[in-house]
Amino acid sequence: MLRLPLRKLGQAFESLNPFGINESTLRVIRSMVEVSMIIDGHTRGVRPITDMAAFVLRRNTSQHNMMSLASGEELGVGEVSSKCLYESIRHAVMIYSVAVTFPLPPLTGVFGKLATALKNIMETSKFDPCWQLCPKALLWILVLGGIAASNTENRAWYVQNVEAVSGALKLSEWHNVVENIEEYLWLESACDNGGRILWDEVINDRLLQMGL
C-alpha cells in the first residue's frame, strides 16, 4: 500500500494546465510519477522490481520524453499562459529526474548547471504575476533548485528565496514545507535529506534576519 502523500504525487500539476504546462508536459510528468512509484515500492521492499529490463526501458523512455520537451521559446502561440512558469517547471522536472528517476552522479556537474539555468530564468521573470498566483509551485521549484545548488555560489540565492516564500506561506517547520510540495514531484527517500539540509540553512538565515 502506498503512503497517502505518494498517492497524491504529481496531482498538483493538473491545475497548472494550460497556465504553466501543456498536455505534453503533463504526460511526461505522469510517466515520471509512475516510475517514482515503482522506485519507492522497490526501495521500501513493498513491491520489488521483478523485471529490471522492463523497468529500465520504461525509465529510459520517460527520460527521453522529458528531455524532448519543447523549450519555452519553441512552444506554439497560446500553448501555455506563462512561459516563465513553464520553463521553471521544466527545469525543476529535469532536476528531479537526474536526482530520482534517472540518477546521475554529482561529479557530472549537471546539478549545478541546472540550478544556475533555473535561477537565471526566475531572476529574469521575478516580477511576473505567475509567482503570486502559484506560490506552492514556486516553493517546490525553489526547493529542488536549492538542493541542486548545494556547494555552489547560487545556494545562498535559493536559501533566501525559499525563506521568503515559506515565510509568505507561514511555514515554520520542514514537515509543513513537505506538505506543500509533495503533490508535485517529490520522493522522500531521494529528496528529504537534501531538503532538510537546505531548510536548516533557511532557518539560520531567518534567525539572522531577526537578529537572533
Side-chain angles (χ1 to χ4, degrees):
M1 178 68 71
L2 292 172
R3 293 188 304 275
L4 181 61
L6 202 58
R7 291 209 302 269
K8 296 180 179 179
L9 191 66
Q11 291 186 8
F13 291 105
E14 303 285 340
S15 64
L16 295 177
N17 179 27
F19 180 59
I21 59 175
N22 55 12
E23 278 297 328
S24 297
T25 310
L26 201 51
R27 284 194 297 270
V28 167
I29 289 170
R30 287 169 182 156
S31 73
M32 293 177 70
V33 166
E34 292 170 358
V35 172
S36 298
M37 288 181 171
I38 294 171
I39 293 170
D40 181 72
H42 182 77
T43 55
R44 292 193 292 122
V46 175
R47 192 176 298 167
I49 297 171
T50 55
D51 189 339
M52 188 57 71
F55 167 73
V56 169
L57 177 60
R58 187 172 190 169
R59 180 201 66 178
N60 290 354
T61 300
S62 177
Q63 181 71 7
H64 172 75
N65 291 339
M66 186 273 295
M67 295 301 295
S68 300
L69 286 174
S71 69
E73 292 301 315
E74 294 168 333
L75 290 176
V77 176
E79 275 197 70
V80 297
S81 301
S82 174
K83 287 189 177 181
C84 66
L85 180 57
Y86 171 86
E87 274 294 87
S88 299
I89 289 173
R90 189 172 71 89
H91 280 74
V93 168
M94 282 193 278
I95 291 171
Y96 179 85
S97 75
V98 295
V100 180
T101 57
F102 197 88
L104 295 177
L107 289 176
T108 60
V110 65
F111 293 98
K113 291 176 182 176
L114 286 171
T116 297
L118 178 57
K119 177 196 169 188
N120 291 340
I121 292 165
M122 300 183 81
E123 276 282 88
T124 302
S125 62
K126 60 186 176 183
F127 298 117
D128 193 287
C130 71
W131 303 123
Q132 291 184 328
L133 295 170
C134 306
K136 292 184 180 181
L138 172 59
L139 180 63
W140 169 72
I141 291 166
L142 287 169
V143 168
L144 283 188
I147 294 172
S150 179
N151 299 316
T152 72
E153 61 182 10
N154 291 322
R155 177 74 162 199
W157 183 89
Y158 281 103
V159 167
Q160 291 166 8
N161 282 279
V162 170
E163 193 282 321
V165 177
S166 62
L169 291 170
K170 303 187 185 307
L171 307 177
S172 58
E173 302 289 341
W174 172 242
H175 69 87
N176 300 133
V177 176
V178 174
E179 287 171 358
N180 279 267
I181 64 177
E182 63 190 1
E183 293 186 26
Y184 293 93
L185 285 174
W186 185 264
L187 192 61
E188 181 180 350
S189 59
C191 305
D192 191 67
N193 185 59
R196 285 181 181 275
I197 294 171
L198 174 68
W199 184 248
D200 285 343
E201 294 178 30
V202 169
I203 293 301
N204 288 335
D205 187 67
R206 187 172 290 173
L207 293 174
L208 283 173
Q209 291 185 39
M210 295 169 62
L212 299 176

